[in-house]
């Protein structure tokens, strides 16, 4: 049976934030589960697959997943290592005010139309800042609520998120590539290696991936590696070793890539968390 560890980081009158860690022991589809409330799930470590009827979504650090109340689903872990997610639940009136109407089903209780959206780097940084600050007891409730609302707006914003647009077959191909990347985020993959794992030509893979995710495969993988850095910044004193452990060729390479994506160096981000 899959084992979950749930830590309540914050509960106020309007929202709750939890840190959920799963060991990922269930490699095949789990028994059907059902959410008691609608919430947003931000994976920040590892990878898993959520099955909703015939539709599936690969959950990893570039995505936000939407769990609707009373909607049955199953979970599998085709990649070893488990996963960890920041789970955000808001009262329905707040969600209705914040979420674009185009993303909500018409009529009845609030429910999202899609299983997932791709989030931008700023949203990834907000996930890390919110989690690290609450875990350290360094964020006041008002600040944490404000950060959470900012995160939600970016995660569902039409300009700051991306909904994959392609046929089901092409989406499944891209999802297989994501599972390959998630199996070893620090590995210096080559295009030929990923294509061989997926079972298509390198040229076709790059074309389909860009069509589905609206970004190149190499940049998608870079964002996964850097999201892992966001997760680990609180555990490393030696940032040079962190960069090496994540597969970067040097500290300068790691620092420059991090700054290009998040707007600050790893050391600056680390200090901002500790300063709180």
């Amino acid at each position: 049976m899959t084992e979950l560890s749930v830590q309540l980081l914050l509960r106020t009158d309007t929202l709750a934030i939890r840190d959920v860690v799963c060991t990922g022991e269930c490699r095949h589809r789990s028994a059907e589960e059902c959410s008691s409330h609608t919430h947003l799930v931000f994976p920040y470590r590892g990878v898993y697959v959520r099955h909703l009827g015939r539709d599936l979504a690969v959950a990893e650090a570039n995505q936000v997943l939407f769990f609707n109340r009373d909607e049955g689903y199953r979970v599998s872990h085709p990649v070893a290592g488990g996963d960890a997610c920041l789970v955000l639940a808001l009262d329905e009136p707040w969600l209705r005010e914040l979420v674009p109407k185009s993303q909500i089903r018409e009529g009845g209780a609030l429910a999202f139309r899609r299983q997932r959206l791709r989030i931008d780097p700023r949203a990834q940084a907000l996930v890390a800042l919110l989690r690290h600050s609450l875990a350290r007891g360094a964020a006041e409730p008002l600040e944490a609520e404000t950060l959470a609302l900012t995160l939600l707006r970016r995660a569902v914003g039409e300009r700051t998120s991306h909904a994959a647009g392609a046929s089901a077959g092409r989406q499944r191909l891209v999802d297989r590539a994501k599972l390959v990347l998630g199996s070893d985020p620090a590995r210096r993959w080559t295009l030929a290696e990923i294509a061989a794992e997926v079972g298509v030509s390198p040229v076709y893979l790059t074309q389909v991936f860009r069509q589905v995710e609206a970004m190149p495969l190499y940049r998608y993988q870079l964002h996964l590696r850097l999201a892992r850095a966001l997760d680990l910044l609180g555990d490393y004193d030696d940032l040079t070793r962190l960069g090496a452990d994540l597969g970067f060729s040097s500290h300068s390479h790691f620092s420059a890539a991090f700054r290009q994506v998040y707007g600050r160096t790893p050391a600056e981000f680390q200090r901002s968390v500790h300063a709180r």
Side-chain angles (χ1 to χ4, degrees):
M1 178 178 295
T2 300
E3 296 183 0
L4 291 177
S5 172
V6 181
Q7 179 183 7
L8 180 64
L9 298 178
L10 178 71
R11 184 191 294 277
T12 69
D13 293 337
T14 53
L15 63 83
I17 303 174
R18 295 176 174 84
D19 190 11
V20 180
V21 179
C22 177
T23 60
E25 295 175 9
C26 182
R27 301 296 294 275
H28 303 288
R29 294 191 191 188
S30 67
E32 186 171 85
E33 305 174 44
C34 190
S35 301
S36 60
H37 55 276
T38 299
H39 54 275
L40 290 79
V41 175
F42 296 89
Y44 64 84
R45 184 192 312 149
V47 60
Y48 66 93
V49 178
R50 179 174 183 248
H51 306 265
L52 190 61
R54 294 186 175 182
D55 187 27
L56 61 84
V58 175
E60 33 77 7
N62 283 327
Q63 306 284 329
V64 58
L65 275 74
F66 304 108
F67 286 65
N68 294 323
R69 186 178 68 188
D70 299 329
E71 190 171 65
Y73 64 91
R74 301 175 189 270
V75 171
S76 63
H77 289 83
V79 175
D83 65 86
C85 303
L86 190 74
V87 179
L88 179 60
L90 274 78
D91 285 352
E92 185 171 314
W94 285 47
L95 281 175
R96 288 194 179 277
E97 186 174 352
L98 288 165
V99 178
K101 292 182 179 180
S102 60
Q103 296 191 26
I104 299 176
R105 297 175 189 167
E106 295 181 359
L110 184 145
F112 288 91
R113 292 180 182 273
R114 298 183 178 90
Q115 272 216 75
R116 59 181 167 185
L117 289 172
R118 175 166 58 77
I119 59 176
D120 70 352
R122 175 60 178 163
Q124 287 182 332
L126 284 169
V127 170
L129 183 61
L130 189 59
R131 185 176 67 85
H132 286 307
S133 298
L134 288 173
R136 292 169 61 88
E140 295 290 336
L142 179 59
E143 179 187 13
E145 285 181 312
T146 303
L147 286 173
L149 294 181
T150 303
L151 170 60
L152 190 149
R153 279 193 291 267
R154 291 201 73 88
V156 300
E158 294 179 355
R159 295 184 178 181
T160 51
S161 65
H162 170 74
S167 66
R170 292 191 171 194
Q171 180 65 69
R172 285 194 294 270
L173 187 154
V174 169
D175 283 339
R176 292 202 302 273
K178 291 178 183 179
L179 290 174
V180 172
L181 296 176
S183 67
D184 192 353
R187 178 172 168 176
R188 297 181 185 179
W189 291 97
T190 68
L191 182 57
E193 290 171 339
I194 301 171
E197 291 284 342
V198 175
V200 297
S201 76
V203 172
Y204 186 68
L205 175 60
T206 57
Q207 291 173 340
V208 172
F209 198 97
R210 181 183 282 274
Q211 179 191 35
V212 173
E213 289 297 337
M215 68 189 307
L217 177 59
Y218 77 87
R219 182 162 294 278
Y220 197 93
Q221 195 238 0
L222 175 62
H223 286 185
L224 287 179
R225 294 163 74 192
L226 292 175
R228 182 66 172 140
L230 289 173
D231 171 33
L232 294 172
L233 276 173
D235 301 330
Y236 275 73
D237 294 324
D238 185 350
L239 295 181
T240 299
R241 185 164 64 87
L242 173 58
D245 289 347
L246 291 174
F248 290 92
S249 58
S250 66
H251 176 67
S252 60
H253 178 207
F254 170 46
S255 184
F258 192 98
R259 183 169 188 169
Q260 183 182 37
V261 171
Y262 298 123
R264 63 182 80 178
T265 66
E268 289 169 343
F269 190 91
Q270 190 180 60
R271 284 195 296 270
S272 71
V273 173
H274 289 172
R276 293 171 181 271

